[in-house]
Amino acid sequence: NANAKLFAGKLENGNDIKYLLSKELSAWIQIIKGDVTVNGNLLEAGDGASLSSEGEIQLRTQNQGEFLLFELT
């Protein structure tokens, strides 16, 4: 069993956000709608990615993007 925090996000055209992730934790991001660039990697609806030892997660969109971010312990 793992503890998790779940965040839902929506980015509008051209917006970006940064999420600080402790280096002891990992995360999973699931793109629900549109596209989101995650630390320089373009993900589209239905795509997911595992993140670990990142420290900072940069999320950007050129269009609109909706995502779920799971912070895992």
Side-chain angles (χ1 to χ4, degrees):
N1 283 351
N3 291 325
K5 292 181 184 177
L6 173 60
F7 302 94
K10 181 177 182 179
L11 291 170
E12 298 296 330
N13 299 359
N15 287 342
D16 69 317
I17 59 172
K18 293 179 184 176
Y19 181 79
L20 298 178
L21 180 68
S22 173
K23 292 199 179 215
E24 298 86 39
L25 302 177
S26 60
W28 177 266
I29 188 163
Q30 185 69 45
I31 309 306
I32 304 302
K33 183 178 179 182
D35 64 78
V36 179
T37 300
V38 181
N39 290 354
N41 299 297
L42 178 63
L43 301 177
E44 297 177 333
D47 291 342
S50 176
L51 304 155
S52 60
S53 303
E54 296 287 332
E56 181 178 278
I57 301 171
Q58 176 97 24
L59 306 170
R60 294 183 180 175
T61 186
Q62 294 301 316
N63 299 301
Q64 286 188 344
E66 295 181 24
F67 61 91
L68 297 174
L69 178 65
F70 300 84
E71 183 180 285
L72 310 169
T73 60

